[in-house]
Amino acid sequence: MTTPEPYRAADDRYDSHAYRRCGRSGLKLPAVSLGLWHNFGDDKPIETQRAILRRAFDRGVTHFDLANNYGPPYGSAETNFGRIFADDFRPYRDELVISTKAGYDMWPGPYGEWGSRKYLLASLDQSLARMGLEHVDIFYSHRFDPQTPLEETMGALATAVQSGRATYAGISSYSAERTREAAGLLREMGVPLLIHQPSYSMLNRWVEDGDPSLLDVLGEEGVGCIAFSPLAQGMLTDRYLDGIPEGSRAAQGKSLDPSLLSEEALAHVRRLNELARDRGQSLAQLALAWVLRDPRVTSVLIGASSVAQLDDNLAVLDRLELSDAQLDAIEQDAVDSGINLWAASSKS
C-alpha cells in the first residue's frame, strides 16, 4: 500500500458545526457524530476509510464511535481506525472524542461477552491495544446483562475511568429503569454516568415510551443521549423508495431484514420523503433533524460509506429547525416499523 499524503486538518473545521452539551457534564459533542459500525472493517478499502475520517474531522466531526466487535471481522474497525489515527490524527488527539464499547460477543468461551468485570476490562485493554491509544474518552457497557449484578458492571466502568483507561462512562440500550439504577450506582462510586446510546429514529421511538420514558430519565439525571441508527438502518434514506437495490444492507441481510420493507412501511417512508422535499432536504437530512429536535438528544450517530454520503448527511446542519406544522405532519408517518434489533436489552 502506498504511503498516504500527510494530513493537515482544515483550519476552518470548527466554523460551521454545532456542538451540544452532553447532559449536565462539561463535555460538548458535535450534533452529528461518526459511527464506525459499518464500512470500517477489512471488507472496505483503507483509503476510503481514511478519506471519510479526514473529511469528517475537516467538517467539525470530533467524535468517532467504535465497539470491540465492529468489522468484519471482529476488531478490525478498531485496528483500521488505529492505523489511520497513527498516520493522521495523533497530533489532534486532544481535539477528538473516541469511544468504544463491550457487551456483545467478541471471543469464544464464557468470558467473551455480556457484562462481567472480567470481560469488560479485558475488552477495553484489547480495544486500546488495537487502536494504539492510552485511553478512550467514553467506554460503554454495550448492553444490559440480566445475569450479572448491575453493581459489578457499573463497577467495571468506574474502574475504567478511575484507572485512566477511559475519561467517561456510558451505557447503551438500557431501559429507563435500569438507566436510573446505573446512574445511581455510578454516582455512589464517584463516576457520573455521562451518556446513554439508544437506537432512535422516526421508525423506532421506544425511547419516548413509558412513564417515565428513557428520555425523561436522561433529562432528570442530567445524562446525555446519542442516538444510533437515526436513519433506521437505511430505511430513512432514498435508497429503498423504489425497492431493494443490489449491495444495500437489506440485500446483504446486514441489520435490515428485507421483510420490513413492506408496502405499508414504504408508504410511510415515501410520505416522509415528500415532506423532506418540501423543505428542500433529503429524507436522511429530515430524519436527522427530527431526532435532534429534542434538546435531551446531544448527538446523532451516522455511518458513511463515502465522502459524498457523509457530506449529504452533514448538510442537515444547514436546516435543523422544524415548525409545529411540520412536526404534526411527520407524526402521521413516524410510526414503529419493527426495526428495533436491540429491544431485548432495553426490556430487561
Side-chain angles (χ1 to χ4, degrees):
M1 187 181 72
T2 58
T3 302
E5 290 292 321
Y7 171 65
R8 182 179 183 275
D11 292 334
D12 62 352
R13 58 189 177 276
Y14 296 116
D15 290 356
S16 59
H17 209 108
Y19 299 88
R20 297 156 69 122
R21 188 166 300 280
C22 192
R24 287 197 292 267
S25 77
L27 184 70
K28 292 183 178 181
L29 293 178
V32 180
S33 299
L34 182 63
L36 279 65
W37 179 19
H38 296 291
N39 305 308
F40 289 85
D42 288 348
D43 57 339
K44 301 293 183 181
I46 192 76
E47 291 312 316
T48 300
Q49 300 177 32
R50 186 187 305 278
I52 293 168
L53 288 165
R54 285 182 173 187
R55 179 63 172 169
F57 189 52
D58 284 346
R59 295 287 307 274
V61 178
T62 53
H63 180 209
F64 300 144
D65 180 75
L66 299 103
N68 55 359
N69 62 359
Y70 287 176
Y74 287 177
S76 60
E78 289 183 329
T79 299
N80 291 334
F81 174 78
R83 290 170 58 190
I84 297 167
F85 174 84
D87 290 339
D88 294 347
F89 294 107
R90 192 170 296 281
Y92 306 100
R93 175 64 184 96
D94 292 336
E95 297 183 42
L96 295 172
V97 174
I98 301 170
S99 61
T100 196
K101 317 177 200 72
Y104 288 94
D105 61 302
M106 182 60 192
W107 62 82
Y111 318 121
E113 64 176 327
W114 291 106
S116 73
R117 179 180 183 87
K118 178 173 177 61
Y119 167 60
L120 291 176
L121 293 177
S123 180
L124 175 55
D125 288 341
Q126 291 178 20
S127 291
L128 292 175
R130 280 190 291 269
M131 291 188 284
L133 300 176
E134 294 180 355
H135 73 280
V136 290
D137 296 285
I138 306 170
F139 180 52
Y140 288 91
S141 166
H142 208 166
R143 61 171 166 172
F144 175 72
D145 182 352
Q147 296 185 323
T148 296
L150 192 57
E151 292 87 347
E152 179 176 343
T153 301
M154 294 304 104
L157 295 185
T159 294
V161 172
Q162 291 162 345
S163 66
R165 286 175 277 182
T167 307
Y168 297 102
I171 58 176
S172 179
S173 298
Y174 278 51
S175 68
E177 178 184 1
R178 296 300 184 187
T179 295
R180 195 185 295 281
E181 187 179 354
L185 288 167
L186 283 169
R187 191 179 300 115
E188 292 172 5
M189 298 171 190
V191 176
L193 178 61
L194 173 80
I195 194 167
H196 188 297
Q197 187 176 135
S199 60
Y200 184 34
S201 71
M202 290 194 287
L203 304 183
N204 175 19
R205 301 177 63 172
W206 73 274
V207 300
E208 303 172 13
D209 297 337
D211 186 19
S213 68
L214 176 60
L215 284 175
D216 291 335
V217 169
L218 297 180
E220 292 163 9
E221 294 285 346
V223 176
C225 177
I226 182 167
F228 76 88
S229 290
L231 303 182
Q233 287 92 269
M235 281 183 69
L236 290 171
T237 69
D238 60 7
R239 195 150 209 202
Y240 300 105
L241 295 175
D242 300 310
I244 301 177
E246 185 178 346
S248 65
R249 286 193 197 181
Q252 300 175 59
K254 286 185 175 180
S255 74
L256 181 58
D257 189 329
S259 67
L260 297 175
L261 298 168
S262 65
E263 274 307 307
E264 180 182 3
L266 288 176
H268 289 295
V269 172
R270 290 176 184 129
R271 283 193 289 270
L272 290 169
N273 185 57
E274 288 302 314
L275 286 168
R277 284 185 178 177
D278 290 344
R279 280 171 49 86
Q281 286 184 311
S282 68
L283 175 56
Q285 291 160 10
L286 174 66
L288 296 175
W290 183 87
V291 174
L292 287 166
R293 82 200 186 286
D294 193 307
R296 295 167 295 187
V297 175
T298 311
S299 181
V300 289
L301 269 173
I302 63 165
S305 60
S306 66
V307 168
Q309 186 182 57
L310 173 73
D311 282 340
D312 181 72
N313 286 341
L314 288 177
V316 67
L317 298 169
D318 299 329
R319 187 83 191 278
L320 285 172
E321 303 81 9
L322 287 159
S323 69
D324 289 342
Q326 289 167 340
L327 288 170
D328 289 343
I330 290 169
E331 195 69 21
Q332 307 306 308
D333 291 293
V335 298
D336 187 87
S337 296
I339 60 171
N340 187 359
L341 306 177
W342 309 272
S345 178
S346 54
K347 287 178 179 177
S348 299

